[in-house]
Amino acid sequence: MSDATAPQQSNLDLDVVIIGAGVSGLYALHRIRAMGLSVKVLEAGDGVGGTWYWNRYPGCRCDVESLEYSYSFDSDLQQEWEWPERYGTQPEILRYVNHVADRHDLRRDVVFETRVTSAHFDEAARQWVIGTERGESHRARFCVMATGNLSTPRVPDVKGLENFEGKWYHTGLWPHEGVDFSGLRVGSIGTGSSGVQSIPIIAAQAAHLTVFQRTPQFSLPARNAPMDKTTEARHKAEYDDRRQAAYDTPFGIAGYPPPSQSALEVSAEEREAAYESKWAEGGSISFLYTYNDLFTSREANETACEFVRQKIRETVKDPETAEKLTPYDHPIGTKRLILDTGYFETYNRETVDLVDVRKAPIEEITAKGLRLADGSEYELDALVFATGFDAMTGALRDIEMSNGRGLTIQEKWEGGPRCYLGLAMAGFPNLFMITGPQSPSVKAQMILGAEQHTDWIVDCLTHMREHGHSRFEVTQQAEDAWVEHNNEVANRTLYPLANSWYVGANIPGKPRVFMPYVGGFDRFKRTCDEIAAKGYEGFEMGGGEAVAAE
Ligand code: NA7
């Protein structure tokens, strides 16, 4: 049996199928539908929003400012929409994404509650055959994976979870109705962004909170506040120019002039004052942009680390707890720099304890709580896993995916992801990814990245239609060169030094490869544009029939 024939019944027959109705998939639908192609989005959830649909944990908030973290394609919308706070909360962002879906009548082309389980390329028909959990089989000439970078939540493989008598939750799969922790003894595992954002809120509600920390992380105060009306008015007056300017910045966000000085060429006093002012201002890009060598020089970076460590020592009253919370094992910024609201202060509450599970890892979840390797036991009524995601590659590797010639995605990515521009892959014809691995993705403003990728894909499809092509495939040579370039730019920075989800370190057995492109969003976009201008260099296009069944 050929792998293309596995699913039972055939439903849709499309020009393009998009997997995922998050911010990427929705914009892709909007643009591709406007080309006159038949297109549908398959979405596992019962609503749009992707990340913002699933991550409903208390305190969930974007770490990019609201005025930036939004679509740029609808000029009227960006003028009309009023963000109530400097940083958008999850409910607010989800409300916005829902509004976009309604405003552009996108929902009618989204098939909800449809989890994709397989994707096989049928070379003879030159179509992707998409299998779903319900056993449907959809066909499409092109497949666009808009499956997200942080969409595959992972609960660590700890013995005994099934025996736990209390309730347990993962931050990335939070119940829609919310959770009331009042009066409960809660345990929270993990201190990445999700843990750091939820811990202060759970602590305020629970009778007692025990935080199980494996790695202390750097976090800066977000300085969230109600939207400043003057800032908003100024931003809106400049919106179009700012969006355009964002394309010429490394992070896809305008308004942060690149620093020109090294941290090591100024006096200690000057440095302290500069960090202090960034600390007061709030925001991670701004802080990491204090000097031009914080991502490239260990010594320079250490000055910023020490500044934040001192802040932790000043904030947390108990010196032993403060020390446990102080990160030493990675340069600041090489794990996603967290923005918090009252995180370190939370440990001054009588009802909050911090337990180091680096020294004594969690050995077993028991009926009444959990036990560490040193024999210590903790009685808990509820357990929160803020333990992260199989980031960047997890969603695709979870799909049983093959190219119809015997190559699976699992085999292709056995040693880590290999992609061309994070947009496509050798060996997988007619398949696009939006913000895939080896694109700036999580290292740039994600919505702008999704728009840039989608616009490029639409141009590529238009080009194929104009030239009568129905099949493309990335050349091995182009992919190899891009992977090499990707590694080269990463290795010039301090990023690979951290055991972060950027390198897959949080997933046991995952190959250690630095996954996002850190050569800069500006440089990336220029490269994409040049490749398109050269007639899609690195893509082999052919096939007699046109892109669409027009
Ligand atoms: P992260 O950043 O991957 O954080 C997960 C946390 O869970 C991190 O502190 C991990 O420690 C910890 N963890 C994972 N497995 C275990 C086990 N087995 N025992 C103890 N602790 C564990 O995920 P988030 O959801 O917080 O954030 C992901 C991104 O979403 C974030 O960066 C923003 O971009 C938005 P570790 O550091 O691996 O030692």
Side-chain angles (χ1 to χ4, degrees), residues 261-268 270-271 291:
Q261 269 186 316
S262 156
L264 304 175
E265 68 186 63
V266 297
S267 69
E270 193 179 323
R271 221 165 33 219
Y291 295 107

Side-chain angles (χ1 to χ4, degrees), residues 63 150 156 158 171 189-195 212-215 217 335-336 357-358 362 386-389 499 501 505-506:
D63 58 5
L150 293 158
V158 189
T171 48
I189 304 171
T191 51
S193 280
S194 306
F212 298 93
Q213 171 193 267
R214 187 163 69 184
T215 312
Q217 286 231 51
K335 282 187 162 203
R336 181 135 180 141
V357 293
R358 163 89 50 210
I362 301 166
T387 46
F389 302 85
N499 289 324
W501 55 260
N506 60 324

Side-chain angles (χ1 to χ4, degrees), residues 14-19 39-40 42 128 130 140 142-145:
L14 303 163
D15 296 323
V16 183
V17 64
I18 299 167
I19 320 291
V39 53
K40 292 275 181 206
L42 307 180
W128 278 94
I130 306 294
F142 296 95
C143 177
V144 177
M145 292 293 185

